[in-house]
Amino acid sequence: MGVYDFQRIEQKWQQHWAAAGAYRVSNDPSRPKYYVLDMFPYPSGSGLHVGHPLGYIASDIFSRYKRLKGFNVLHPMGYDAFGLPAEQYALEHGVHPAVSTAENIRNFRRQLDHIGFSYDWDREVRTCEPDYYRWTQWIFLQLFDSWYNRRTGRAARIGELEAIFAAEGNAQHECPGDRSLRFTAAGWEGMDEAARRHVLMQYRLAYLDYAEVWWCEGLGTVLANDEVINGVSERGGFPVERKRMRQWFLRITEYADRLLEGLDRVEFSESLKEMQRNWIGKSYGAEIDFAIQGRSETLRVYTTRPDTIFGVDFMVLAPEHALVSAITTPEQQAEVEAYLAYVRSRSELERMSEKKISGCFTGAYALNPFDGRAIPIWIAEYVLAGYGTGAIMAVPCGDERDFAFARHFSLPITNILGGQYDGTAANPTKEGVLHHSGFITGMPMPEAIEAVISRLEAEGRGQRRINYKMRDAGFSRQRYWGEPFPIVYRDEVAYPLPESELPLMLPEVERYATGPEGQGPLANLTDWMRLPDGSLREPNTMPGYAGSSWYFLRYMDPHNAGAFCSREASDYWGQVDLYVGGTEHAVGHLLYSRMWTKALFDLGYIGFDEPFKKLVNQGKIGGDSRLVYRIRGTNTFVSAGLKDTYETDELHADVRLVTGLELDTEAFRNWRAEYAGAEFILEDGVYRCGARLEKMGKRYFNAVNPDDVVAQYGADTFRMYEMFLGPLETDKPWDTQGITGVHSFLRRAWGLFYSEQGEWLVTDDEPSPEELRLLHQTIKKVEEGIERLSFNTCVPAYMVLARELARLGCRKRAILEPFLVLLSPFAPHFAEELWQQFHPGGSVLTAAFPQWSEELVAEESIEYPVQINGKVRARVQAPAAAAPAEVEALAMADAAVQHWLEGKQPKKVIVVPGRIVNVVV
RNA sequence: GCCCGGAUGGCGGAAUCGGUAGACGCGUUGGUCUCAAAAACCAAUAGGUUAACUCCUGUGCCGGUUCGAGUCCGGCUCCGGGCACCA
């Protein structure tokens, strides 16, 4: 009892909390709620290193603090358990993903439990459990059964759309899948079931479409862009081809504007909002129709700069553009075909990374809609088929890419910028006046943009248009370990599975190999694939982000067998008040979950349309690697200081074999078989390692396991130290040495309560004003620190208080009891153990966070620095309540001040109450 | 190239509203204790200057606003992150 026996204490309280269900939380509408969420982990096989729990610790501290402040806090944890790594492990080792995933989860849980988190484990979710993915499938069906009504700006039921079609056709509701699709009520009436379903599919929020993928016959699989090099597969060198395959998509593009607008209503970091805005990539411009010389077709382009239309010197089509074959002249035929063959051989990845200037003239000419000038039409891979109309008007004097292209092919360049264009580089300015530009000559550019669009619209040659970079999200994976689609196909038409048949269970498979035609492994299960009535199942599965797009809702009502989450529960818990996680999900998970939330809101299932009110991105903890230097071709290692005299190879040594920089050479020999016979060239009798900061991870042998740290110093020290390392949001290196400072703070704090002999030292004496002031200053600092998530500034506040109390010999209950409450979010086991002495059978978890009082925080007297002409020359004491005039009088009477004034009269004296006296001479 | 961040002792960092720069911890140095070492405890620790009291310089660089700038404004440099043929 005398010394701080953290091992005994922590084990005792972790067991006690678990047994008592101390962190169980109920949906209690009579109490104010607060929802603190961590991004749930993917349970990988390698377990946690000290970088992983950083965000979990921060959110745990905040949760505990909010509980002490009287909130009913929802603080859950679960696992994002479907995904690729488990399936690859299955392929290589034959272990069922469910088995390896369960094993990994057990290991994660064991590690988490040692750190003393306050999760309500009764609410745990696992995305791979049928009770969970049943609702992932159900939400997918809601998206399938919905369309986005652009007139009301929200999703609605597909049945409503059918009624509209029957009444008036689609004139009021442009088809997002095919803008040219037009039909009347009579047209709808005339369609058969399959045709109608086909039309509806092009409106659905979850829809089926054909999309191009790389198909490799030799491997019998679809390959990702990065697996294709120079037209052959990276593995095996088999040829690949573009193949259109049926894939599911989410129509997230319909939500682009609301995803942008919603960012103004949430507290995310500016950089993260910017990432999302860039990803969505909204741009304002116009579509313009160019006539093609001698042909009836028109060429439609998208541009953000319609004002530069008189500077168009050539047109460029994407190689995949539908008009290419039609407009190519016989003379250019051979050249165009050769170019298309070249483009087809290049992967998307190469196309984007190499950025070669390449292209080919089609022989055709477009006509400028205003001055009728004939403009050559080229094809080039720098124009992307998937953006805008897949065709551009090139203005080389104003666009860098067009300029480079014109230079490369020696095309003439028209100057519409006057003196703003010098002929050596394009000038993309939007501030200037147009030259040689017909009816807009002399007009400022922003004005000209409007003038051109108005005229185009009046003449029916173009229209205002907004474009987005964001594409609809691919939702099919040719994989096994994911949610099966609750869909059946009859005559190639997709129908939803009835709700009563959910969940559609993921069937067992013998092997995880890809199915025929690039389909998922499920396609190998012919019995499962074909239903008794002859309809077919969907062989692919949903992507990893399906389950993670709504998990924060399930925590609110995790055992509900009748709904994904009752409206009652989601109305009570509402938005996640604080969401903590890494930036790696900036444009994936965080966009998808925002979209799903908006769709569920539109359909009336929840009452809010942004899932996360405030988001904090914790920084990464870097690893401090240790390097050893092996003389090339030998098994002899040379100490860092002497390495330059030899030719060496740098290798990583496990950080656990090194103290400071000194290598335990014996342990190093035993570490791995290849080093068993290692020899060492020492300096000053020791082997010194080199050091480098890099990512913490297995491959650098610099990962520090929290289990080891907790075993040596305890969970409370570990928690405090992780916070003490620096601001939550910045990247910072791990330094195992530094932990002793925090650990000895806890030991000293323990010493305030117990003597070394184990006597309880706390008294019931009245605290002195100084002691009260110290306490209240600390309460204030800690409260303010936690509120603005500056956990790193709280730890020094505790340290100063403990030091000062020790100095004063203060062991008074009136001070130490609130100190324990203050400390409990950071060091819960420590606080709980000592709290027992004050409240046997009670718990610090249910205490109230102490209030600080302005009166007690205030000093009796304040020391004012006195600046004379900007330099601090003296300090004077003044009563805290002194008015500025009194402080000034006291300062002027001070001998040191008079000395510095050298008899001169001050011109001006500024007294900032409580702060400073400034004298200008 | 574009868009966001950031730069403070030997190191991690603090300074919340424009008001004593360097809290707190690590490391280092010295001391106490010890046969010795470790641990623990105490003291010093931005740089320069001084026997000392002092004084000067100092928050990436240049300039500005202000009685007063790490903090605000203008112009750079470097580092980190994101996006990248999106017309």
Side-chain angles (χ1 to χ4, degrees), chain A residues 153-164:
Chain A
R154 52 195 294 171
R157 288 296 174 179
I158 209 83
E160 191 184 304
L161 187 64
E162 288 180 89
I164 292 171

Side-chain angles (χ1 to χ4, degrees), chain A residues 522-653:
Chain A
L522 293 178
N524 295 323
L525 303 175
T526 45
D527 290 348
W528 182 81
M529 282 295 295
R530 185 170 294 275
L531 277 73
D533 67 357
S535 52
L536 292 171
R537 293 206 190 273
E538 161 73 53
N540 296 326
T541 56
M542 298 186 198
Y545 67 80
S548 61
S549 289
W550 71 281
Y551 75 111
F552 49 91
L553 295 168
R554 189 61 178 173
Y555 285 136
M556 299 174 181
D557 196 6
H559 307 298
N560 193 331
F564 71 99
C565 172
S566 74
R567 183 64 198 255
E568 205 184 4
S570 65
D571 279 350
Y572 174 58
W573 290 113
Q575 288 174 292
V576 174
D577 293 286
L578 178 66
Y579 194 27
V580 180
T583 43
E584 64 273 20
H585 298 112
V587 294
H589 161 63
L590 284 170
L591 273 178
Y592 299 125
S593 51
R594 291 182 61 219
M595 179 216 161
W596 285 43
T597 301
K598 287 174 191 300
L600 290 169
F601 169 79
D602 289 351
L603 298 175
Y605 292 112
I606 55 177
F608 46 90
D609 86 330
E610 280 292 339
F612 315 117
K613 200 172 184 175
K614 182 181 172 90
L615 170 72
V616 175
N617 300 117
Q618 84 275 19
K620 289 189 241 321
I621 293 187
D624 194 3
S625 302
R626 288 295 176 263
L627 307 166
V628 293
Y629 306 92
R630 183 171 63 190
I631 299 172
R632 190 159 297 168
T634 72
N635 203 11
T636 300
F637 293 80
V638 58
S639 188
L642 308 169
K643 73 176 161 67
D644 292 342
T645 49
Y646 302 88
E647 192 182 359
T648 61
D649 292 314
E650 182 184 279
L651 300 165
H652 282 82

Side-chain angles (χ1 to χ4, degrees), chain A residues 12-72:
Chain A
K12 169 180 163 188
W13 287 105
Q14 283 166 13
Q15 283 168 1
H16 182 265
W17 290 327
Y23 300 113
R24 208 169 290 146
V25 57
S26 59
N27 296 3
D28 177 0
S30 70
R31 297 177 58 204
K33 70 93 187 185
Y34 203 89
Y35 188 177
V36 182
L37 181 65
D38 293 301
M39 288 186 187
F40 64 168
Y42 177 84
S44 77
S46 42
L48 300 170
H49 63 62
V50 292
H52 294 117
L54 181 74
Y56 302 160
I57 293 170
S59 65
D60 194 64
I61 288 168
F62 201 73
S63 301
R64 289 174 180 273
Y65 165 78
K66 280 288 178 185
R67 280 191 208 106
L68 297 175
K69 280 284 191 180
F71 289 89
N72 190 28

